[in-house]
Amino acid sequence: MNMDHSKIPQATAKRLPLYYRFLKNLHASGKQRVSSAELSDAVKVDSATIRRDFSYFGALGKKGYGYNVNYLLSFFRKTLDQDETTNVTLIGVGNLGTAFLHYNFIKNNNTKIAMAFDINKEKIGTEVGGVPVYDLNKLEEHMTDDDIPVAILTVPAQAAQSITDRLVALGIKGILNFTPARLNVPEHIRIHHIDLAVELQSLVYFLKHYSMQEK
Ligand code: ATP
């Protein structure tokens, strides 16, 4: 199906991942069709908006039938580029890094950890979860092509900034930072920071706070 993406309003485009996730669940549960009312209920968008959004995709619901789930799903898959795999590199094959290498990201969102790096001689040259672990000193040798736009950082905090600088020099576009370090990067680079210790602490804080109010 050919479509001019520039014709889809931004507000509609923003709702696409929401629709997509819901339709995947529907499909997994074996449903063949869905009405705009059901969709509306699930994604909390009014059904007139859903019908208008879907008309941009060339999906016209039939009265008393609704929308064909398979059709919509294949449309969303194409539109959201979910058929394309994004390669990721992981730096720091410790406990957390090892867990990520064993975890199959590709099942959920079509990202694939293609290579990993560490400084520990015992880890260099091994494979973890099917992913080769290389010497961090050879980062520039291995990351030669432009096909790894994302890095996951699971190194000790004090190593994070200098590794980040090297990744930036290599043209990385986004970093998922699991270290407690705050990273300095040029504006065009996107950093998502996940500090697990802080997240856990804040959850515990909110639980305590909440239960105090209840007492
Ligand atoms: P975690 O559970 O946080 O992954 P860990 O306790 O297993 O960590 P850390 O000391 O946090 O181990 O180190 C994580 C990984 O990063 C280890 O495999 C270690 O060899 C590696 N590492 C340590 N320093 C550096 C560095 N400067 N550059 C790259 N990797 C490093």
Side-chain angles (χ1 to χ4, degrees), residues 5-146:
H5 285 251
S6 63
K7 292 227 174 82
I8 297 185
Q10 273 200 25
T12 301
K14 277 199 189 137
R15 286 187 284 271
L16 287 184
L18 195 68
Y19 295 143
Y20 182 51
R21 193 175 51 200
F22 178 67
L23 284 161
K24 270 200 296 196
N25 292 340
L26 271 188
H27 180 71
S29 70
K31 272 202 87 162
Q32 310 274 316
R33 48 178 154 137
V34 62
S35 68
S36 52
E38 275 174 285
L39 266 165
S40 168
D41 208 37
V43 298
K44 305 287 175 245
V45 173
D46 67 273
S47 53
T49 303
I50 290 180
R51 281 195 295 273
R52 198 181 55 236
D53 282 352
F54 281 23
S55 70
Y56 289 112
F57 325 143
L60 302 169
K62 287 187 213 111
K63 251 209 152 54
Y65 178 86
Y67 296 94
N68 182 308
V69 171
N70 279 329
Y71 172 86
L72 283 173
L73 210 52
S74 74
F75 172 81
F76 286 128
R77 210 170 267 140
K78 272 184 220 131
T79 309
L80 294 170
D81 272 336
Q82 294 283 329
D83 285 334
E84 223 172 90
T85 300
T86 302
N87 286 320
V88 177
T89 185
L90 180 137
I91 325 279
V93 190
N95 286 311
L96 194 54
T98 300
F100 286 142
L101 293 179
H102 286 291
Y103 183 74
N104 198 352
F105 282 105
I106 204 158
K107 228 186 312 185
N108 298 315
N109 52 12
N110 282 7
T111 54
K112 178 178 160 231
I113 302 178
M115 53 178 86
F117 294 89
D118 207 290
I119 53 166
N120 185 326
K121 295 247 166 355
E122 284 170 13
K123 296 177 181 176
I124 294 166
T126 64
E127 273 198 3
V128 178
V131 179
V133 180
Y134 299 127
D135 186 349
L136 183 71
N137 289 323
K138 302 207 172 120
L139 181 75
E140 287 74 10
E141 280 172 43
H142 291 286
M143 300 259 297
T144 43
D145 326 333
D146 243 6

